[in-house]
Amino acid sequence: MSDASAGTTVLELRNLGVHRGGVAALHRVNATFRAGEITCVLGENGAGKSTLVAVLSGLLRPDEGELLLGGRPVTFRSARAARAAGVATVWEDLAVAPLLSVWRNFFLGAEPTRGVWPLRRLDLDAARETTVRALARVGVPGIDPDRPATALRAGERQSLAIARALHFGARALVIDEPTAPMTIAQHTVLAEAVLSARDEGLAVVVVTHNPRYAHLIGDRFLLLARGHVAGDLTRKDVDADVLLRLMAGGRELTALTARLRALHPELDER
């Protein structure tokens, strides 16, 4: 990542609102996601995390406010449109097509070919070699590209999707962290891939329920509570223990929100 691109705003939410049956799933949410930075989105069930992922990934259009990509307002009408614009989402359960090989999962319809029409054919060697190199790039070396994706462990499946996003030029990466139990080794594999994406200059958004894991990999922390932004913090603002207590909500989260608004009156205008 070049110094010029580091810290550049890739995605921005301005007064974003989503309503579900008269209830605000997201209410006047403001957030900025920058190149070369990992933002961890935390909150209890019902806080609005899934709705935020749906908006960023193109599955849901906001009812009010704006989503900006590279400083320009955008409207994603589908997940495909979001991917085409450079916003890739790694879903918890849909990171791979389990019955396909690793290399076919990597390309998914964009397989390399050689020769000219009408003799053009699939370049299997290039497909396999590219897949192996791309996985090694995100910290998963030595994978047999012909093995079925079902043989991949948790963490490796998400890493494959991250490697694919990097290879095809994503600008932003949204990761719906697995809620299923993962071993330390599996968390490590996923963390290496996430950090690789950050180091390649992507704006990375990780939705997680684990504050200690978030503090380990995150540069910023966006705390959601009942659809509102309850905190927008950096690693300098909080340590892992404070982040854990804030996730529990209650008086500490209320006090944090009040303090932030006292220090930054402009928050009341958002």
Side-chain angles (χ1 to χ4, degrees):
M1 178 179 58
S2 67
D3 292 337
S5 62
T8 302
T9 297
V10 177
L11 279 172
E12 184 178 358
L13 310 180
R14 291 183 183 173
N15 292 317
L16 197 87
V18 175
H19 303 287
R20 296 181 183 275
V23 177
L26 292 175
H27 179 68
R28 299 181 68 184
V29 170
N30 288 271
T32 301
F33 306 110
R34 301 176 178 87
E37 188 173 81
I38 298 172
T39 301
C40 292
V41 180
L42 301 105
E44 297 180 342
N45 291 337
K49 303 189 302 297
S50 296
T51 302
L52 180 62
V53 171
V55 170
L56 294 178
S57 64
L59 293 181
L60 185 65
R61 277 180 276 175
D63 297 303
E64 57 190 18
E66 291 183 311
L67 170 63
L68 291 87
L69 177 64
R72 297 182 177 181
V74 293
T75 300
F76 298 142
R77 300 187 181 278
S78 67
R80 177 174 293 183
R83 287 194 302 271
V87 181
T89 302
V90 180
W91 299 100
E92 174 185 352
D93 298 320
L94 299 176
V96 298
L99 298 181
L100 299 180
S101 65
V102 171
W103 73 263
R104 283 199 175 275
N105 265 280
F106 183 83
F107 284 101
L108 287 177
E111 292 82 359
T113 59
R114 60 182 175 180
V116 295
W117 181 261
L119 301 177
R120 184 177 296 143
R121 61 190 183 280
L122 181 64
D123 192 338
L124 289 173
D125 290 339
R128 293 181 177 115
E129 291 171 7
T130 299
T131 301
V132 172
R133 284 200 308 270
L135 281 166
R137 180 182 175 188
V138 298
V140 187
I143 292 291
D144 178 0
D146 290 313
R147 71 195 293 190
T150 51
L152 296 176
R153 298 174 298 170
E156 290 177 341
R157 292 190 291 271
Q158 285 78 17
S159 296
L160 173 59
I162 292 170
R164 185 172 65 214
L166 281 170
H167 178 76
F168 287 104
R171 302 167 62 187
L173 184 65
V174 183
I175 300 172
D176 187 21
E177 190 201 56
T179 56
M182 294 176 66
T183 66
I184 292 177
Q186 291 166 344
H187 269 299
T188 301
V189 169
L190 179 56
E192 285 190 32
V194 172
L195 292 170
S196 295
R198 180 196 66 183
D199 293 343
E200 292 282 348
L202 274 67
V204 183
V205 183
V206 179
V207 176
T208 177
H209 63 287
N210 188 330
R212 292 196 180 278
Y213 182 72
H215 197 270
L216 184 64
I217 66 170
D219 300 301
R220 301 189 68 88
F221 312 102
L222 184 69
L223 305 182
L224 296 180
R226 297 182 180 179
H228 294 71
V229 174
D232 188 352
L233 311 169
T234 69
R235 291 178 63 88
K236 294 180 180 179
D237 297 324
V238 290
D239 60 22
D241 290 332
V242 171
L243 196 59
L244 181 63
R245 291 198 299 271
L246 289 173
M247 276 288 291
R251 288 181 295 177
E252 290 199 48
L253 186 55
T254 301
L256 169 68
T257 304
R259 179 169 175 75
L260 284 173
R261 293 189 182 280
L263 292 174
H264 302 280
E266 69 274 11
L267 291 176
D268 287 321
E269 300 173 1
R270 295 181 176 183

